[in-house]
Amino acid sequence: MKKNSFFNTLVFKLLLGIIIGIFVGRISSESLIIVIDSVKRVIGDLIGYIVPLIILGFITPAIVSLKESAGKILTVTLAICYISSVGAATMSFLAGKAIIPKLNIASNVGAGNVIPESIFKLSIDPIMPVMTALVTSVLFGIAVIVTKSETWENLLMELNRIVLSIVNNVVIKILPIYIATTFAVLSYEGAIISELPVFLKIILIVIVGHFIWMTLMYSIAGAISKTNPKEVFGHYVPAYLTAVGTMSSAATLPVALKCARQAKTLDPKIRDFAIPLCSNTHLCGSVLTEVFFVMTVSQILTGKLPETANMIIFILLLGIFAIAAPGVPGGTVVASLGLITSILGFNDTGTALMLSIFALQDSFGTACNVTTDGAIALMVTGIFKRVPGRGNNPETN
């Protein structure tokens, strides 16, 4: 078998992990699923520990590499993240007003198997929270530029190489196992199977919405950069599948970087800066999903959609909350529970139902988030006219 055959690719390993996980979960006994769930938690904690290191090891050196244009590139990237999230939410809101009243949505949600509490527990806490790592990266990067510290610049470049080694030799290696255990647990719980008859329609509608938004974003990115966007999204299949399996933008970050590095039309410095940043600040797919689902839950519990004025406020604030939400499973909806209860008036039943159905598709929303990050990196590359191999001198106006 050739080393570069399909059976040695990350895509095949991820698909195999999904298939094996579903099968094992269906036939697992209670004692076996406890072991599988324990392995999943340990691997998940390990990945969570590495994620702040990835942010520090990629964003900070990238800011230093961008020199005088770092501040503007950071501002533009965050602005695009916010506009993308609010745009996706607005599209979802308009679709919800047109579609949800015409659907016959049931309100009874089935309960799945409960995984017993594991005796074995090993907690691997990250050295700092994700948002702390983001703020630290930005402050250190800007400070190194301002002070013109060559010592720290060299140290950060060494850190970048060290973290890249950790990503390639640790994270990429254990991801298929993590995905297999994740799907085994989901399969054992049976939540997807029991709730699928209730929410299949809205989940399918949301997934279609994801692809519409991804298509729109890459089309805009292609127009801005004057390149073929396929050169970027064509490499994102492994990242999409990883996100489906992990339900975490943060956990998918190593694979997303690996995919983005294959795109010849992305400026390397902007790529290594934007992809890690967007993995925690650009959650358009999750926002799109949450807006459609809160409207659905409102229809289920009250028989009507939320007031338009309340939804506009909710969408504008949700875009901000999405930037600050952790890139972990359910991060967006958890971070915005205060908005759901205060602006939309959801009670405990509403929030519980919202969390439940959001979890059913969280993997696809995360996949949309991660895949669309490549479009943002391409937009920023085009805006600052940083064409790989042609000098990379951004305009300063």
Side-chain angles (χ1 to χ4, degrees), residues 7 104 143 150 212 226 256 275 280-281 299 309-310 336 363 392:
F7 298 103
N104 182 20
E150 295 183 3
I212 291 174
K226 295 181 173 59
I275 299 300
N280 292 283
T281 59
Q299 182 77 25
N310 290 341
S336 62
S363 56
N392 292 340

Side-chain angles (χ1 to χ4, degrees), residues 90-103:
T90 302
M91 184 186 77
S92 181
F93 169 65
L94 295 176
K97 285 185 69 71
I99 297 173
I100 292 175
K102 300 178 182 178
L103 297 177

